[in-house]
Amino acid sequence: MTKHLYILLTTLLITIPTLHSCKGDKSNNTEEHYEEREAPATEEVDDTADSSITYIKEEDYIFPTSGKSAEDFVPPNSIYEIIDKAQGDLNGDNLDDIVLLLKHKYDVEGSSPVLILFKNTDSTYILKEMSRVAKPSSFTNYYVLHEVPGDFSINNKELKISTYLAPRGLINTKFIYIDNRFALSYVESSSSGSGAVSTTTYEPLIGKYTLWNGWYDETTEEEKESTETRIEKPKRYLIDDPNLPFY
Protein backbone atom coordinates (compact mmCIF):
# COMPACT_ATOMS: atom_id res chain seq x y z
CA MET A 1 0.00 0.00 0.00
CA THR A 2 1.43 3.36 -0.96
CA LYS A 3 2.28 5.58 1.94
CA HIS A 4 2.04 9.35 1.50
CA LEU A 5 4.73 11.37 3.11
CA TYR A 6 3.57 14.66 4.52
CA ILE A 7 6.33 17.14 5.20
CA LEU A 8 5.56 19.97 7.56
CA LEU A 9 7.28 23.20 6.48
CA THR A 10 7.83 25.63 9.34
CA THR A 11 8.06 29.31 8.40
CA LEU A 12 10.11 31.62 10.58
CA LEU A 13 8.54 35.08 10.72
CA ILE A 14 11.01 37.86 11.27
CA THR A 15 9.55 41.10 12.56
CA ILE A 16 11.45 44.14 11.44
CA PRO A 17 10.91 47.17 13.70
CA THR A 18 9.72 50.29 11.89
CA LEU A 19 11.30 53.53 12.93
CA HIS A 20 8.81 56.35 13.24
CA SER A 21 9.86 59.89 12.56
CA CYS A 22 8.79 62.71 14.86
CA LYS A 23 9.23 66.43 15.21
CA GLY A 24 12.57 67.90 16.15
CA ASP A 25 16.02 66.62 15.18
CA LYS A 26 15.16 63.57 12.98
CA SER A 27 18.69 62.16 12.90
CA ASN A 28 19.00 62.12 16.67
CA ASN A 29 15.55 60.60 17.17
CA THR A 30 16.25 57.87 14.62
CA GLU A 31 19.46 56.96 16.42
CA GLU A 32 17.66 56.78 19.76
CA HIS A 33 14.93 54.46 18.43
CA TYR A 34 17.51 52.25 16.73
CA GLU A 35 19.54 51.84 19.94
CA GLU A 36 16.44 50.89 21.91
CA ARG A 37 15.64 47.99 19.54
CA GLU A 38 19.20 46.81 18.92
CA ALA A 39 19.90 45.56 22.46
CA PRO A 40 17.22 42.80 22.50
CA ALA A 41 18.31 41.64 19.05
CA THR A 42 21.89 41.37 20.22
CA GLU A 43 20.86 39.33 23.25
CA GLU A 44 18.93 36.92 21.04
CA VAL A 45 21.88 36.38 18.71
CA ASP A 46 24.17 35.76 21.67
CA ASP A 47 21.96 32.89 22.83
CA THR A 48 24.12 30.12 21.30
CA ALA A 49 23.65 27.32 23.83
CA ASP A 50 23.33 24.60 21.16
CA SER A 51 25.11 26.18 18.20
CA SER A 52 28.40 24.38 18.86
CA ILE A 53 26.54 21.05 18.73
CA THR A 54 24.28 21.78 15.78
CA TYR A 55 27.14 22.56 13.42
CA ILE A 56 29.34 19.56 14.18
CA LYS A 57 29.98 17.65 10.99
CA GLU A 58 28.93 14.02 11.07
CA GLU A 59 32.38 12.80 10.13
CA ASP A 60 33.82 14.75 13.08
CA TYR A 61 31.37 13.40 15.64
CA ILE A 62 32.85 10.79 18.02
CA PHE A 63 30.63 8.33 19.89
CA PRO A 64 31.47 7.16 23.43
CA THR A 65 33.25 3.79 23.44
CA SER A 66 31.74 2.42 26.66
CA GLY A 67 28.77 2.93 28.94
CA LYS A 68 26.44 1.46 31.52
CA SER A 69 23.34 1.76 29.30
CA ALA A 70 22.37 2.36 25.69
CA GLU A 71 21.57 6.00 26.46
CA ASP A 72 25.18 6.60 27.55
CA PHE A 73 26.25 6.24 23.89
CA VAL A 74 23.78 8.91 22.74
CA PRO A 75 23.84 11.63 25.44
CA PRO A 76 21.36 14.55 25.42
CA ASN A 77 23.92 16.89 23.79
CA SER A 78 24.45 14.50 20.88
CA ILE A 79 23.52 15.51 17.34
CA TYR A 80 21.65 12.18 17.13
CA GLU A 81 18.65 10.61 18.81
CA ILE A 82 17.62 6.96 19.22
CA ILE A 83 14.67 5.93 17.02
CA ASP A 84 14.86 2.14 17.39
CA LYS A 85 16.60 -0.48 19.52
CA ALA A 86 17.12 -4.25 19.21
CA GLN A 87 18.38 -6.67 21.87
CA GLY A 88 19.77 -10.17 21.58
CA ASP A 89 22.94 -12.26 21.53
CA LEU A 90 25.07 -11.46 18.48
CA ASN A 91 28.44 -13.03 19.34
CA GLY A 92 27.43 -16.29 21.03
CA ASP A 93 28.31 -15.42 24.64
CA ASN A 94 24.69 -15.75 25.85
CA LEU A 95 24.55 -12.06 26.79
CA ASP A 96 21.97 -9.72 25.31
CA ASP A 97 23.78 -7.21 23.14
CA ILE A 98 22.12 -3.98 21.98
CA VAL A 99 21.90 -2.41 18.54
CA LEU A 100 20.78 1.21 18.22
CA LEU A 101 19.34 2.95 15.18
CA LEU A 102 19.85 6.71 15.26
CA LYS A 103 18.59 9.74 13.40
CA HIS A 104 20.18 13.17 13.00
CA LYS A 105 18.37 15.74 15.15
CA TYR A 106 18.97 18.74 12.93
CA ASP A 107 19.55 17.49 9.38
CA VAL A 108 16.74 15.60 7.62
CA GLU A 109 19.27 14.48 5.01
CA GLY A 110 21.73 13.24 7.61
CA SER A 111 22.78 9.62 7.97
CA SER A 112 21.11 7.00 10.17
CA PRO A 113 24.00 5.51 12.19
CA VAL A 114 23.76 1.96 13.52
CA LEU A 115 25.61 1.32 16.80
CA ILE A 116 26.36 -2.27 17.88
CA LEU A 117 26.97 -2.54 21.62
CA PHE A 118 28.41 -5.73 23.10
CA LYS A 119 27.39 -6.53 26.66
CA ASN A 120 30.11 -7.33 29.19
CA THR A 121 29.79 -9.77 32.09
CA ASP A 122 29.53 -6.81 34.49
CA SER A 123 26.46 -5.55 32.56
CA THR A 124 28.31 -2.62 31.00
CA TYR A 125 28.58 -2.17 27.24
CA ILE A 126 31.29 -1.43 24.68
CA LEU A 127 30.86 0.07 21.21
CA LYS A 128 31.81 -2.80 18.90
CA GLU A 129 30.76 -1.38 15.54
CA MET A 130 29.42 1.89 14.12
CA SER A 131 28.10 2.20 10.58
CA ARG A 132 26.55 5.14 8.77
CA VAL A 133 25.70 3.02 5.72
CA ALA A 134 24.07 -0.14 7.13
CA LYS A 135 20.72 1.64 7.11
CA PRO A 136 19.90 3.54 3.88
CA SER A 137 18.75 7.09 4.54
CA SER A 138 17.65 10.12 2.57
CA PHE A 139 21.23 11.23 1.95
CA THR A 140 21.64 8.27 -0.44
CA ASN A 141 20.04 7.84 -3.85
CA TYR A 142 16.96 6.50 -2.11
CA TYR A 143 14.00 8.39 -0.69
CA VAL A 144 13.45 6.71 2.65
CA LEU A 145 10.03 6.68 4.27
CA HIS A 146 11.09 7.38 7.86
CA GLU A 147 7.52 7.35 9.14
CA VAL A 148 6.99 3.76 7.96
CA PRO A 149 8.36 1.38 10.62
CA GLY A 150 10.72 -1.28 9.32
CA ASP A 151 12.03 -4.45 10.92
CA PHE A 152 14.99 -3.78 13.21
CA SER A 153 15.69 -6.95 15.19
CA ILE A 154 18.13 -9.64 16.32
CA ASN A 155 17.28 -13.28 15.67
CA ASN A 156 19.55 -16.34 15.66
CA LYS A 157 22.62 -14.08 16.04
CA GLU A 158 21.63 -12.12 12.93
CA LEU A 159 20.93 -8.40 12.80
CA LYS A 160 18.04 -7.65 10.46
CA ILE A 161 17.36 -4.17 9.09
CA SER A 162 14.40 -3.33 6.84
CA THR A 163 13.98 -0.03 5.00
CA TYR A 164 10.89 1.16 3.13
CA LEU A 165 11.55 3.32 0.10
CA ALA A 166 9.32 5.65 -1.88
CA PRO A 167 7.16 5.02 -3.71
CA ARG A 168 6.93 1.18 -3.62
CA GLY A 169 10.23 -0.28 -2.54
CA LEU A 170 11.74 -2.33 0.27
CA ILE A 171 15.26 -3.37 1.26
CA ASN A 172 15.89 -6.18 3.76
CA THR A 173 19.43 -6.82 5.00
CA LYS A 174 21.05 -9.23 7.45
CA PHE A 175 24.45 -8.94 9.14
CA ILE A 176 26.30 -11.66 11.07
CA TYR A 177 29.39 -11.67 13.30
CA ILE A 178 32.40 -13.28 11.56
CA ASP A 179 36.08 -13.03 12.48
CA ASN A 180 35.53 -10.22 14.97
CA ARG A 181 33.58 -8.07 12.47
CA PHE A 182 30.01 -7.80 11.19
CA ALA A 183 29.49 -8.72 7.56
CA LEU A 184 26.53 -8.64 5.18
CA SER A 185 25.03 -12.12 4.78
CA TYR A 186 21.81 -11.34 2.93
CA VAL A 187 20.19 -8.50 1.02
CA GLU A 188 16.77 -8.47 -0.59
CA SER A 189 15.36 -5.57 -2.59
CA SER A 190 11.79 -5.43 -3.87
CA SER A 191 9.89 -2.98 -6.00
CA SER A 192 6.48 -2.88 -7.63
CA GLY A 193 4.57 -0.84 -10.17
CA SER A 194 2.36 -1.08 -13.27
CA GLY A 195 1.12 -4.53 -12.31
CA ALA A 196 4.59 -6.02 -11.91
CA VAL A 197 6.71 -7.03 -8.91
CA SER A 198 10.47 -7.58 -8.90
CA THR A 199 12.56 -9.09 -6.08
CA THR A 200 16.33 -9.52 -6.05
CA THR A 201 18.16 -11.51 -3.38
CA TYR A 202 21.90 -11.70 -2.91
CA GLU A 203 23.92 -13.78 -0.44
CA PRO A 204 27.45 -12.41 -0.85
CA LEU A 205 29.17 -14.88 1.48
CA ILE A 206 28.22 -17.77 -0.83
CA GLY A 207 27.88 -15.71 -4.02
CA LYS A 208 24.25 -16.65 -4.72
CA TYR A 209 22.18 -14.18 -6.74
CA THR A 210 18.45 -14.65 -7.52
CA LEU A 211 16.09 -12.44 -9.54
CA TRP A 212 12.33 -13.06 -9.38
CA ASN A 213 9.75 -11.23 -11.51
CA GLY A 214 5.99 -11.47 -11.29
CA TRP A 215 3.45 -9.78 -13.53
CA TYR A 216 -0.10 -9.93 -14.83
CA ASP A 217 -0.46 -10.87 -18.50
CA GLU A 218 -3.44 -8.91 -19.81
CA THR A 219 -3.52 -10.95 -23.02
CA THR A 220 -3.99 -14.30 -21.30
CA GLU A 221 -5.42 -12.78 -18.11
CA GLU A 222 -2.98 -14.87 -16.09
CA GLU A 223 -0.42 -14.15 -13.41
CA LYS A 224 3.06 -15.12 -14.56
CA GLU A 225 6.51 -15.27 -13.02
CA SER A 226 10.11 -15.98 -13.86
CA THR A 227 13.18 -16.82 -11.76
CA GLU A 228 16.85 -16.44 -12.61
CA THR A 229 19.61 -17.78 -10.36
CA ARG A 230 23.36 -17.55 -10.75
CA ILE A 231 26.42 -18.19 -8.60
CA GLU A 232 29.14 -15.57 -8.37
CA LYS A 233 32.45 -15.38 -6.55
CA PRO A 234 31.83 -15.04 -2.79
CA LYS A 235 32.52 -11.60 -1.31
CA ARG A 236 32.65 -10.17 2.18
CA TYR A 237 31.12 -6.74 2.75
CA LEU A 238 31.72 -5.31 6.21
CA ILE A 239 28.91 -3.37 7.86
CA ASP A 240 30.69 -0.02 7.45
CA ASP A 241 31.66 -0.58 3.81
CA PRO A 242 30.40 2.39 1.71
CA ASN A 243 30.21 -0.01 -1.25
CA LEU A 244 27.52 -2.25 0.25
CA PRO A 245 25.71 -3.84 -2.73
CA PHE A 246 22.35 -2.22 -2.06
CA TYR A 247 23.62 1.31 -2.73
Side-chain angles (χ1 to χ4, degrees):
M1 179 183 295
T2 304
K3 297 288 184 178
H4 296 285
L5 175 65
Y6 295 95
I7 303 177
L8 177 63
L9 301 178
T10 304
T11 305
L12 177 64
L13 300 179
I14 303 175
T15 303
I16 303 177
T18 304
L19 303 179
H20 298 280
S21 61
C22 59
K23 295 181 180 181
D25 191 341
K26 295 183 179 180
S27 61
N28 291 337
N29 288 336
T30 300
E31 183 177 356
E32 291 175 358
H33 282 283
Y34 178 79
E35 291 175 351
E36 291 176 0
R37 290 163 174 77
E38 184 66 17
T42 302
E43 292 176 1
E44 182 177 353
V45 172
D46 288 341
D47 185 11
T48 57
D50 295 329
S51 62
S52 61
I53 298 173
T54 304
Y55 293 101
I56 293 178
K57 294 182 180 180
E58 290 198 79
E59 58 269 25
D60 295 334
Y61 186 83
I62 300 175
F63 289 97
T65 57
S66 62
K68 295 181 179 180
S69 67
E71 289 71 21
D72 289 342
F73 294 85
V74 191
N77 63 347
S78 170
I79 62 173
Y80 300 103
E81 60 184 344
I82 300 172
I83 59 174
D84 211 341
K85 180 169 70 172
Q87 287 184 274
D89 183 15
L90 286 168
N91 58 348
D93 61 0
N94 295 319
L95 297 175
D96 280 345
D97 306 307
I98 295 178
V99 184
L100 301 178
L101 177 61
L102 311 182
K103 183 179 72 171
H104 202 293
K105 288 181 181 178
Y106 314 108
D107 186 359
V108 295
E109 295 185 353
S111 65
S112 299
V114 172
L115 306 187
I116 299 179
L117 314 178
F118 274 1
K119 188 174 184 178
N120 298 317
T121 54
D122 62 357
S123 296
T124 61
Y125 296 89
I126 61 168
L127 178 60
K128 180 60 182 177
E129 296 266 19
M130 190 283 291
S131 174
R132 300 186 190 277
V133 293
K135 169 78 172 180
S137 57
S138 296
F139 83 99
T140 65
N141 294 328
Y142 302 114
Y143 192 84
V144 178
L145 298 178
H146 288 292
E147 84 284 4
V148 180
D151 188 8
F152 189 75
S153 61
I154 297 173
N155 188 28
N156 294 326
K157 299 182 178 62
E158 287 184 324
L159 170 62
K160 183 178 180 181
I161 304 175
S162 295
T163 306
Y164 286 93
L165 310 173
R168 301 181 185 89
L170 173 68
I171 293 179
N172 290 319
T173 58
K174 294 180 181 179
F175 296 89
I176 60 176
Y177 191 56
I178 302 177
D179 296 334
N180 209 37
R181 291 298 307 273
F182 280 86
L184 180 70
S185 61
Y186 178 86
V187 56
E188 173 188 307
S189 60
S190 301
S191 61
S192 62
S194 302
V197 179
S198 177
T199 300
T200 302
T201 61
Y202 177 44
E203 300 171 74
L205 296 177
I206 61 175
K208 186 178 180 180
Y209 175 94
T210 303
L211 173 62
W212 179 88
N213 288 300
W215 68 95
Y216 180 75
D217 191 325
E218 296 182 352
T219 303
T220 62
E221 296 184 347
E222 295 177 341
E223 293 183 353
K224 296 186 176 181
E225 64 178 73
S226 66
T227 302
E228 175 189 348
T229 301
R230 69 173 184 265
I231 302 298
E232 302 178 343
K233 183 179 179 180
K235 294 182 180 180
R236 178 174 295 190
Y237 294 93
L238 298 179
I239 195 170
D240 57 354
D241 189 341
N243 295 314
L244 286 169
F246 50 84
Y247 279 93

